Amino acid sequence: MASLIGRYCRRSLFYSNSLISRSCMMNRHHPSSYKFSSTVSNNLRLGDKAPNFTAETTYGKIEFHEFIGDSWCIFFSHPADYTPVCTTELGMVEKLQAEFSKRNTKCIGLSCDDLNDHQGWIKDIIETQNINDKDGKGLSYPMIADKERIVAALYGMLDDTNINNDGLPLTVRSVFIIGPDKTIKLMLTYPASTGRNFDEILRCIDS
């Protein structure tokens, strides 16, 4: 068992270091803006303090712990914009916003796409998922644009078996439920092919 754990830890560290090296090679002129954490999700456990970060979102720049405030938080990732399963999931999260609000819960999503992709995709979500957008603001929760994979690496959301055309890993369907005390209460990981049941996530919050 000890050798198995050691082998896994070495693999995780190698993977994170590989991301750092690859990112710096791709961005020689701006290396400081492309850094990946060596923290992987398997090093995060229930009861751990959720790593804080600053990121650009569809609602502007946020500081994560400040965003959570005194609320609960559903922090979830999806593999890519403009994909059918992801479109359905984000539409469902929007339709459940009244239920999340009753539970003092904020939602925030993430993918490795940029803000322009997010903004264009949100229009598709509104149209295809029959979402009422009278005020024209789009989704009522923010989406993180993590093209450099900084936050995804910090939370161990990257899938080294699912690589994009640039040779970089995409995110799996991760879910973190984080309490008002900023500690992790629940972690779920789904493969890219499997959509999440957000009614079940509501049940987890209630529990």
Side-chain angles (χ1 to χ4, degrees):
M1 177 63 73
S3 62
L4 178 62
I5 293 173
R7 186 163 63 251
Y8 177 81
C9 290
R10 287 193 297 273
R11 180 180 180 275
S12 297
L13 182 59
F14 172 78
Y15 178 54
S16 289
N17 287 339
S18 296
L19 283 173
I20 295 170
S21 298
R22 183 185 301 172
S23 180
C24 289
M25 287 174 63
M26 291 176 63
N27 301 279
R28 299 187 298 274
H29 302 298
H30 303 283
S32 62
S33 64
Y34 293 84
K35 295 180 180 178
F36 292 87
S37 169
S38 61
T39 305
V40 295
S41 62
N42 301 81
N43 290 336
L44 292 175
R45 301 187 180 191
L46 299 184
D48 284 354
K49 186 72 73 174
N52 197 18
F53 59 83
T54 300
E56 293 291 344
T57 79
T58 50
Y59 274 69
K61 183 175 287 187
I62 67 153
E63 191 265 340
F64 188 47
H65 285 184
E66 184 178 291
F67 167 79
I68 295 173
D70 296 325
S71 303
W72 289 75
C73 180
I74 304 296
F75 179 29
F76 65 99
S77 62
H78 61 271
D81 293 357
Y82 295 102
T83 55
V85 175
C86 299
T87 299
T88 302
E89 283 189 320
L90 269 70
M92 179 56 67
V93 173
E94 180 65 24
K95 292 174 182 178
L96 289 172
Q97 282 303 296
E99 293 299 320
F100 286 122
S101 294
K102 290 177 185 177
R103 295 161 173 81
N104 188 33
T105 300
K106 295 178 180 178
C107 298
I108 184 167
L110 173 149
S111 80
C112 298
D113 298 279
D114 60 29
L115 281 177
N116 287 335
D117 285 335
H118 280 351
Q119 298 291 3
W121 183 40
I122 286 172
K123 294 177 182 178
D124 283 357
I125 295 171
I126 297 298
E127 180 180 352
T128 62
Q129 303 306 305
N130 299 315
I131 293 171
N132 187 349
D133 185 30
K134 289 182 179 179
D135 57 10
K137 292 183 178 179
L139 300 178
S140 58
Y141 58 91
M143 291 293 301
I144 296 171
D146 191 32
K147 192 172 181 66
E148 294 81 22
R149 291 157 172 77
I150 294 171
V151 180
L154 184 64
Y155 275 80
M157 296 172 168
L158 296 170
D159 179 6
D160 59 354
T161 68
N162 191 11
I163 305 299
N164 70 3
N165 293 332
D166 296 324
L168 292 172
L170 297 173
T171 47
V172 290
R173 299 185 192 277
S174 296
V175 180
F176 291 83
I177 296 181
I178 299 166
D181 59 357
K182 314 302 184 293
T183 61
I184 297 171
K185 308 299 183 182
L186 177 144
M187 296 184 292
L188 296 170
T189 301
Y190 293 70
S193 60
T194 306
R196 287 158 286 201
N197 184 335
F198 282 92
D199 288 320
E200 171 65 8
I201 292 172
L202 280 173
R203 188 191 69 82
C204 292
I205 296 172
D206 289 339
S207 68

